[in-house]
Amino acid sequence: MPMIEVQNLTKRYRERVAVDALNFSVAEGEILGFLGPNGAGKSTTMKILTGFLPPSEGTAKVAGFDVFEQPLEVKRRIGYLPETPPLYPEMTVAGYLKFVAELKRVPGRGLRAEVERVSGLTGLADVMGRVIQNLSKGYKQRVGIAQALLGSPPVLILDEPTEGLDPAQRAEVRGLIKGLAGKHTVILSTHILPEVTMTCEKVLIINQGRVVAYDQIRKLAKVHGGKAENVSLEEIFIKLTAA
Amino acid sequence: MRTALAIARKELSIYFTTPWAYAVFTAMLAVSSFFFVNSLFDFQRAQEMARTYGWDRIPQEFRNLTDGVMVPFWSTVVMITLFVVPFLSMRLFAEEKRNKTFELLMTAPVRPVEIVLGKYLGGLGIITTTLGLTIFFPVLLTVFGKADSGSALEWSTVLLGYGGLLLWGATCMAVGMFISSLTESQMVAALVTFAVLLPWMLLQGLAQATEEPVRSFISYLSFGAQLQGLMRGVLDLKAIVFFCSVIFFSLLLSHRTVEAQRWA
Ligand SMILES: Nc1ncnc2c1ncn2[C@@H]1O[C@H](COP(=O)(O)OP(=O)(O)OP(=O)(O)O)[C@@H](O)[C@H]1O
Ligand SMILES: [Mg+2]
């Protein structure tokens, strides 16, 4: 059984169709790169998967639970980084992470250790006492990632996780996500295509709410590369999403 | 319920780091101390008149400090509460929506009822603190005031009066929280809350212009009429039931709005 299963998923904001009859599934332990030009509907799809928005049509299932029918079961299994990190500017990093851990029902005894674990993973140890408002953009992003990792949920939905990070930290987060493969199921959206080639096996490219490619990166390269041996994901992306 | 408490704690810690809460505390203390001193002077004048003209010429309530000072003082605190609560309740949901942190609450394994209760508990904490600051004045009277029969104040009445004040603050907060759940803009939330609370308070005046039985129905609904007993330190069960129902329905409506996000 796939960990994430999306069938005929459609989302309309009034008249505008943001996501149009999407079908895909992600197997347990797989990392799926989720690509598409601006406004393609990536964030919208992720909001539906996490139960924040209801679908207009179709279904989405996480670990066999329908996101609309059994939202609590789904939310218990998902760590979510929205495209705007959901931070309380007045709180300190430590206070914030403790709060999110409580929201996710991390048991009281393991809470401090869990907060320390994710802050170590995301390089936050030095800023734990600082007020979020005063952090730089990249550090805010790290706090957002740390928040998603709390409680080590089996499914991670990360909307542009490396946005705003410096090259070193970006490589670190990339390594982090790669290390999640096998144990965690990850959907990762990004505009940095080499990152996808490095971390993901499989990609899903959408354009104007519709799937334009959904396959292993190797196979895509073979199909779209034609005679050229080393066609980059970037070239494929541009070719598929043009017009 | 542990998550509800976590949310309440978070609300309180944010309240106490923003300047809003301190502005509200200052406003409450400054305005209420002005009116407190005013009613003290009135009381003193009444005492002097009594000495000159005899007690039968002086209204009943000036016989003791509780009725002569605390009761008029509470009615001003009631009005100050009506003015400051919108500034405290406005952020409860509107800020989360604007900050996109609502997404965090709604995608965490937390039921809407826990979100609403947690937020409301936080709101209660801040309004209780605001109103609690004014207990300074009756304490002052007890310390410095003198009466023939022991304590200057009847503390049983004072405590009942404060119970009534808290119930009033809790009611305003519940209404304000519901309105905050409807919008992304804190400014709009504060203005609408105020525009709802003030006319609701003054509904009594409108009742005068109508016939029975509409008149008694309208004044039954009026905050002002319902507060009359409570603000004299009377245990008015009918009013307590009335305010508790307003709180309950506001919480119910807030729950509905949060739940509705799932259907948006
Ligand atoms: N709340 C909303 N109301 C109306 N339309 C919306 C809303 N949110 C998104 N849309 C529209 O839905 C479409 C998809 O938006 P979405 O945010 O999912 O794109 P995206 O793929 O995440 O883009 P980006 O790469 O820029 O983050 C866009 O056309 C956008 O204008
Ligand atoms: Mg997006």
Side-chain angles (χ1 to χ4, degrees), chain B residues 3-160:
Chain B
T3 46
L5 288 180
I7 294 174
R9 261 202 308 281
K10 179 221 97 188
E11 293 306 325
L12 279 178
S13 80
I14 291 184
Y15 271 125
F16 283 106
T17 50
T18 53
W20 273 117
Y22 297 98
V24 163
F25 294 161
T26 316
M28 177 55 98
L29 277 179
V31 181
S32 67
S33 60
F34 174 77
F35 282 101
F36 179 76
V37 170
N38 232 14
S39 26
L40 264 187
F41 276 130
D42 282 349
F43 186 76
Q44 200 181 18
R45 211 169 308 131
Q47 300 287 316
E48 277 160 16
M49 299 252 286
R51 240 166 272 140
T52 332
Y53 302 107
W55 273 110
D56 23 311
R57 293 279 197 83
I58 304 302
Q60 191 75 27
E61 62 262 25
F62 287 114
R63 296 275 165 97
N64 65 63
L65 277 171
T66 313
D67 293 331
V69 177
M70 288 317 290
V71 170
F73 173 67
W74 287 331
S75 63
T76 62
V77 174
V78 161
M79 285 315 284
I80 305 171
T81 307
L82 193 152
F83 279 86
V84 298
V85 162
F87 292 108
L88 293 173
S89 66
M90 63 180 187
R91 51 164 294 276
L92 282 172
F93 280 98
E95 187 178 65
E96 302 263 5
K97 292 188 179 178
R98 178 60 54 87
N99 260 349
K100 307 282 180 200
T101 43
F102 198 52
E103 225 162 313
L104 173 71
L105 292 183
M106 295 305 288
T107 58
V110 182
R111 282 173 300 150
V113 59
E114 293 169 287
I115 299 178
V116 170
L117 285 182
K119 295 229 149 228
Y120 187 56
L121 278 179
L124 279 187
I126 196 74
I127 192 64
T128 306
T129 315
T130 314
L131 290 170
L133 290 174
T134 66
I135 205 122
F136 172 70
F137 299 109
V139 168
L140 207 68
L141 283 184
T142 316
V143 173
F144 294 104
K146 283 184 284 297
D148 309 330
S149 54
S151 173
L153 289 176
E154 299 163 34
W155 270 92
S156 57
T157 312
V158 171
L159 289 182
L160 274 175

Side-chain angles (χ1 to χ4, degrees), chain A residues 42-43 83 159-160:
Chain A
K42 302 181 295 296
S43 299
E83 57 183 347
D159 202 346
E160 306 192 25

Side-chain angles (χ1 to χ4, degrees), chain A residues 13 16 18 36-45 83 159-160 191:
Chain A
Y13 292 109
R16 182 191 306 274
N38 291 135
K42 302 181 295 296
S43 299
T44 303
T45 307
E83 57 183 347
D159 202 346
E160 306 192 25
H191 290 297

Side-chain angles (χ1 to χ4, degrees), chain A residues 152-195:
Chain A
S152 55
V155 177
L156 283 162
I157 297 198
L158 308 173
D159 202 346
E160 306 192 25
T162 52
E163 152 95 10
L165 298 182
D166 63 59
Q169 183 63 22
R170 192 178 291 165
E172 212 157 296
V173 167
R174 217 158 44 218
L176 179 70
I177 293 172
K178 224 171 165 172
L180 296 172
K183 283 192 231 96
H184 299 256
T185 310
V186 184
I187 296 187
L188 162 82
S189 88
T190 177
H191 290 297
I192 303 160
L193 297 181
E195 206 146 72

Side-chain angles (χ1 to χ4, degrees), chain A residues 54 68 75 80 88 106, chain B residues 2 9 96 103 106 109 262:
Chain A
F68 189 68
K75 290 170 187 179
Y80 173 40
Y88 297 99
V106 173
Chain B
R2 193 166 78 99
R9 261 202 308 281
E96 302 263 5
E103 225 162 313
M106 295 305 288
R262 233 157 64 74

